[in-house]
Structure formats: structure tokens, C-alpha cells
Amino acid sequence: MDWNKTKSIFIFVFLVLNIFLYSQYVNSYTENQNVEVLGEKNIEAKLKDDNITYSDLPTIEKAPYISGKVKLFDLPNASQGINAMYRVEDADTLIVTLQKPIKLRNMEATGFQEFIQQHVSEGASYTLWEIDEEEQVAIYFQRVQDRTFYYSLKGLVKVYFTEQGEVYQYEQTMLEQLEELEKKKNLLPPIQIIQVLYARNLIKPDSHVIRMELGYSTLFQFTQTQVFAPTWEVRVQTPEGTIEEYFVNAVEGKVVDMQLDVKAVEEEEE
């Protein structure tokens, strides 16, 4: 018996087997990532069985991918105003420290909105996302055509305030030269997005989907020119009364871990 020839045959067989198993794995993974297209009656019946309810769903059928460039701040042009000290970090982050803190009219959304519109360049193009009273910072995300760039580190404003409701500093990054890429893409309807989250056990029985809104998530985070994908934001009220938020790529149906993306970029920058 020719052992070398036999060994070669075994190696070839195992190679073919490995390729087959790998192809099966890839197909299985792809199927799990893609949205299983069931009839609306099927998913609605399952949601009803688990007492999962939802408010009126939006009817947006198409949206484009969007590209934008990270704004580089020019310190001499940015240094306007007698009550502020300006500095720029990494060329794209403007940090403004107020020599005399500005008192907010109130500590609610309206008070912060007044501040950002009056004192931050292009402030009207940002929308309030969160007021973190523990960290004493209000976070704004940039918007385009009334759609939010979720957790983009290059399109946000952080407003820092004191317990007395006085703003003493803010940081700003900005996306500019925003434009649509190619033609608009067909979007997965909201009911299928709910199905994606339900299939992954992210929406528990007795929950209520209180909001679905279309925005954008970052596909490429480390380049000067960035690309954003249409993304459904889903907010769910759990049986315990807490609010959970999820993001799903509106074209591919993949769940996007926004907090993980932000953490990865912050670690990369360090």
C-alpha cells in the first residue's frame, strides 16, 4: 500500500469536508442574520400570544445611504466671543470653556435646547438625546433631514453643567458635506424589525414597543469620510416599566450594538 498516496487522499477528503462544513456554517450564519420573511399574520399572531403590543408604526419604504466628511475646526475662526476659551483636539473636536457659566432657564429639554441654539454653531442641526444628571452632561446627536445620526462620535455635542443648572463647557464634533449615495434602498418594514428583535429574544412577553424611528448608524467610523446606513431605532417598555432601546440596520436587518461601537472607537483613540 502506497502510504504517501493514501495520506494525500485523506488530506484531500478532510479538506473537502472542512470546506463543506464551513460553507454550511456560513449559510447558517447568513440565514440567522437575515430577516426571516414570515407573513404578517404569523408574526402578529406570535406577538399577540406573548402579549407584545406596539404603537402606530411608521410607513417609510425607502431611504438612501449617506456619506459625510468630519469637520476640521480652525481655531482662529472658532475663537469668537468674549466669554469663552476655545481649543481644538485631534483637529475635529472643538472644546469651549465659558469663563462665566451661563444659567439655564430650566433643567429640562427646553432649557438645554435654548442654550445649544443660541451658543453652539449650527446648534439647530443637533437633537437632544439624553440628559445625564449623574454625570451632569447633556448629549446631542446631529441630524440630517430630521433623521438622527445615532451615537456617531463625529456628529455630537456634549454640554456640561453644574448642580445649579449652569453650563460651563461644551464639546462639539460635526459632519459636513452630507450627501446621498446612489439611489434609495428598500427598507425592511417596522413589523419585520420587531420580528428580528423578537426572534432574538430581545423583546420579552408583556412588553410594548413605544417608538420606532428611522435614523442612521455608522458603517465606517475611522475614516475622514464616513458612510451611514439607514437604521431603525426601537424603544421598548418592559413589563417592569424600564425603557430599552435597540437599533436594527433597516436594509439588512442586522441588530447594531451602538454602545459597543462607541466603546471600540474610544479605545482605538486612546
Side-chain angles (χ1 to χ4, degrees), residues 19-32:
I19 293 174
F20 173 76
L21 292 175
Y22 179 74
S23 65
Q24 291 294 101
Y25 166 78
V26 170
N27 289 337
S28 175
Y29 178 81
T30 301
E31 289 174 0
N32 289 334

Side-chain angles (χ1 to χ4, degrees), residues 1 63 68 103 165 187 195-196 205 208 217 242 245 270:
M1 180 176 182
K103 179 73 173 179
L187 305 182
Q195 176 184 317
V196 169
H208 177 62
S217 62
T242 59
E245 63 181 26
E270 291 176 359

Side-chain angles (χ1 to χ4, degrees), residues 6 15 22-23 25 33 50 58 64 77 89 124 139 159 176 179 186 201 241 252 258 260 269:
T6 302
L15 178 61
Y22 179 74
S23 65
Y25 166 78
Q33 288 296 313
D50 280 340
N77 292 337
E89 287 189 355
I139 299 175
V159 179
E176 58 183 5
E179 58 183 11
N186 293 323
N201 295 318
E252 300 177 359
M258 295 292 187
L260 181 61
E269 291 178 345

